[in-house]
Amino acid sequence: MLKLYLVRHGETLWNQENRVLGRTDIPLNERGIAQAQALGTKLADVHFDHVYCSPLSRAKETAAQIVAAQKGTGTPAPVEAAELIEMNFGICEGLLRDSEAYRVEKHRYFARYPEGESFLDIAARIYPYLEKLRREHDGETILLVTHNGICRMITSYFQPMSNEGFETFTQGNAEEQIFIMP
């Protein structure tokens, strides 16, 4: 059995501005740092056998804050995992989330964002990664620090989602979910 803690990174300026944020590497803002520190405090007594994070700075910073709060638990330093990088939103990157162009593209679930990825591309990346974690880390507790789009896809692996549920899913900044992989 694998216990998986799934965390979305803390807030960034583009999250605050309600912009589409995929592969653009934007650091945490002051609120995001405070959120990550607060989550670290909340999880301070949890021993993680492994910590994996997206290679983007906002996820790395969040993971580092959580691990810094793990004093005495033996939690190792975060390791970057390319599989956890956020979805490539292509030409929609940086648009306001309520823009017409983004809303149209977001509803084309099986098509790639122009110059980007599709949700199917993300599932093809994430689902095998989760299976690999299950095989390699049985009996362990793992922390994954990633992005909202990846949290959505990981959640869909564990829980059935309607199209509407998939579209409206949001994991808040520096919020965690816990999943058990038998």
Side-chain angles (χ1 to χ4, degrees):
M1 178 180 78
L2 170 64
K3 190 170 189 179
L4 184 71
Y5 282 72
L6 176 64
V7 169
R8 181 183 179 198
H9 62 79
E11 185 182 82
T12 68
L13 177 62
W14 278 19
N15 295 143
Q16 183 181 358
E17 293 175 347
N18 201 31
R19 294 189 179 278
V20 177
L21 178 55
R23 300 281 176 94
T24 303
D25 198 7
I26 295 179
L28 299 178
N29 61 18
E30 286 184 28
R31 181 175 178 190
I33 293 167
Q35 290 170 331
Q37 290 170 339
L39 183 58
T41 300
K42 179 180 176 183
L43 300 176
D45 294 329
V46 178
H47 167 72
F48 296 108
D49 296 294
H50 302 277
V51 178
Y52 298 105
C53 64
S54 160
L56 296 176
S57 63
R58 57 194 183 268
K60 291 191 304 187
E61 290 175 48
T62 302
Q65 292 292 339
I66 294 169
V67 170
Q70 300 287 301
K71 297 174 183 152
T73 66
T75 295
V79 174
E80 292 180 26
E83 295 89 345
L84 296 175
I85 196 167
E86 179 61 296
M87 183 173 189
N88 181 344
F89 291 101
I91 64 169
C92 291
E93 184 80 10
L95 295 178
L96 292 173
R97 291 189 160 280
D98 60 359
S99 70
E100 181 66 21
Y102 176 66
R103 283 186 285 141
V104 166
E105 291 300 329
K106 185 176 181 180
H107 288 93
R108 299 175 55 214
Y109 299 119
F110 303 110
R112 287 184 173 101
Y113 282 86
E115 301 177 26
E117 293 178 292
S118 72
F119 291 111
L120 288 177
D121 292 329
I122 301 307
R125 172 166 37 110
I126 290 300
Y127 288 5
Y129 180 67
L130 292 172
E131 290 299 323
K132 175 184 170 194
L133 291 176
R134 180 196 316 250
R135 283 189 313 274
E136 295 179 359
H137 300 294
D138 187 39
E140 296 182 327
T141 300
I142 292 180
L143 173 63
L144 301 180
V145 182
T146 187
H147 310 274
N148 190 56
I150 304 306
C151 290
R152 173 189 292 121
M153 195 58 67
I154 290 173
T155 301
S156 78
Y157 178 89
F158 291 100
Q159 303 170 358
M161 286 187 179
S162 65
N163 284 344
E164 181 181 352
F166 187 84
E167 177 186 346
T168 60
F169 173 90
T170 297
Q171 184 164 328
N173 291 113
E175 289 183 359
E176 85 280 0
Q177 295 188 75
I178 302 170
F179 297 106
I180 303 296
M181 298 180 77

